[in-house]
Amino acid sequence: MVVMTAALMTSGVVPARATVSGENGRIAFRRYFNDDHTRGAIFTITSAGTGERQVTHPPRSKLTTEPDWAPSGRWIVYTVYPDAEEDRSRIFKIRPNGTDRANLGGSCVAPCLFDGFPSWSPNGGRIAFQRGLGPAVYQNKVIAIFVMRADGTHARQITQQGADPTVDAPYEDQTPTWSPTGDRLAFERFRRSTDHQAIFTVRLDGTGLRRITPWRLDASQPDWSPNGRWIAFRTQESSDRHGDIALVRPSGNRLHIITSGSGKWQSCSFSPNGKMITAGHAPGHGAAGNADVYTMKVDGTDLQNITNSNRWESAPDWGPRPT
């Protein structure tokens, strides 16, 4: 376990996906505009913390969040929360310069209630995401992993196939990420009976389900490394104050934590060259309690605060250079 740098520990200030192999590009992240976290937009920034750009410009009634870069670097897919309500969320895509915004939620019809946490496939042809099913809004009986084409069509269910959308399922499956080969997904599974969660992997046909982290760790929001050897995730999902970034082999072996110290690490993303990780951390540098986006080496060393503001910034995804 590595020790958090003194700069972070003494600063006094505080939602995965697969990363495609390639040259490191810009980092996308979500910034909240208010303390209630009901308004926010997608931004991008260089890994040096320069050249910040706002990508989405939602109205005050909407929150845009959970960005994920296309493997070409020419699109960003993300989630929109109307009135900050996840239970009515939909998936959109947009160019990094803020143009060509498109709604990908056309397949979300009854019993679909919401779509969110999209993840682009390594070949760019499909998007994995979580979908809530039930008889009415706020009555999510089943939350499962789905895959659709990159244009939002042909959505099909991967996990909990055949589950009755009118009956409470024992699990909630969320935040998928693709393996670099595109033949498996990693995701977090929440067990409703115990309020614990773990990282699982599964084949695209729904078979080969495998748990790779212990339930007690409350692991969430996995991200698969570009070389396929590691899955990064955050721990202690239910805690607002404590939690680390950890790595594990897709087999479940060699699980180890790469961060330590005070505060709460948020979701993370590998760099396209596989040598770095970006993640949110609270507290960051600005107003007490607000998160900033950091970069680090894959062993948790060389921490760098790249947003360094008074707003809450997290949910980063490290994109490739555009092709």
Side-chain angles (χ1 to χ4, degrees):
M1 182 181 299
V2 300
V3 178
M4 190 177 298
T5 62
L8 178 58
M9 295 175 66
T10 60
S11 63
V13 198
V14 58
R17 301 161 294 265
T19 303
V20 177
S21 179
E23 294 185 44
N24 294 349
R26 297 176 66 84
I27 295 172
F29 64 95
R30 184 263 347 280
R31 171 177 290 157
Y32 288 123
F33 294 146
N34 62 342
D35 292 339
D36 293 334
H37 296 179
T38 59
R39 295 187 292 113
I42 306 299
F43 289 74
T44 67
I45 195 169
T46 70
S47 59
T50 60
E52 181 182 294
R53 302 171 189 166
Q54 186 170 347
V55 179
T56 63
H57 294 79
R60 292 178 64 89
S61 61
K62 294 184 179 180
L63 164 67
T64 55
T65 184
E66 307 307 326
D68 187 66
W69 286 93
S72 66
R74 299 184 180 275
W75 289 99
I76 297 173
V77 67
Y78 62 99
T79 309
V80 175
Y81 292 178
D83 299 316
E85 293 183 354
E86 184 176 359
D87 282 351
R88 297 194 293 121
S89 62
R90 294 293 185 272
I91 295 172
F92 284 69
K93 68 178 180 180
I94 196 169
R95 297 289 189 184
N97 65 2
T99 63
D100 297 335
R101 181 173 64 93
N103 187 339
L104 303 182
S107 69
C108 188
V109 295
C112 175
L113 302 177
F114 73 84
D115 291 338
F117 286 86
S119 173
W120 226 302
S121 68
N123 66 7
R126 292 172 292 180
I127 294 171
F129 60 100
Q130 65 184 51
R131 170 167 285 182
L133 306 170
V137 177
Y138 314 121
Q139 297 181 31
N140 300 302
K141 302 297 185 180
V142 178
I143 300 178
I145 303 302
F146 281 69
V147 169
M148 64 182 172
R149 291 182 182 174
D151 62 1
T153 62
H154 294 80
R156 60 187 180 90
Q157 190 167 344
I158 306 299
T159 66
Q160 304 191 67
Q161 296 175 3
D164 186 342
T166 66
V167 177
D168 285 324
Y171 303 105
E172 298 176 7
D173 297 335
Q174 304 169 330
T175 64
T177 180
W178 294 82
S179 68
T181 55
D183 59 349
R184 292 187 74 87
L185 296 168
F187 64 95
E188 67 177 81
R189 167 163 283 188
F190 176 78
R191 186 160 57 185
R192 287 171 165 169
S193 63
T194 62
D195 289 341
H196 287 295
Q197 51 214 45
I199 304 301
F200 283 71
T201 66
V202 68
R203 298 189 187 101
L204 292 186
D205 62 1
T207 64
L209 188 68
R210 176 190 301 157
R211 178 168 60 86
I212 63 172
T213 65
W215 289 105
R216 59 177 170 75
L217 203 57
D218 280 335
S220 68
Q221 295 189 275
D223 187 69
W224 218 306
S225 68
N227 63 12
R229 296 178 180 176
W230 295 103
I231 293 174
F233 60 92
R234 64 173 177 153
T235 69
Q236 301 183 58
E237 165 65 20
S238 61
S239 173
D240 292 330
R241 296 185 177 183
H242 305 285
D244 287 297
I245 301 297
L247 301 180
V248 67
R249 295 290 197 192
S251 63
N253 296 326
R254 297 184 63 182
L255 191 159
H256 62 285
I257 292 173
I258 64 170
T259 59
S260 64
S262 62
K264 170 73 172 183
W265 284 100
Q266 315 288 321
S267 61
C268 59
S269 169
F270 282 97
S271 64
N273 69 6
K275 297 179 180 180
M276 303 287 290
I277 289 173
T278 180
H281 183 272
H285 174 75
N290 285 344
D292 283 331
V293 174
Y294 289 77
T295 61
M296 68 184 86
K297 293 180 179 178
V298 293
D299 63 0
T301 62
D302 195 21
L303 283 165
Q304 303 292 329
N305 185 334
I306 65 169
T307 54
N308 200 28
S309 82
N310 291 325
R311 297 291 189 183
W312 183 290
E313 294 135 349
S314 54
D317 185 62
W318 205 322
R321 291 188 180 275
T323 57

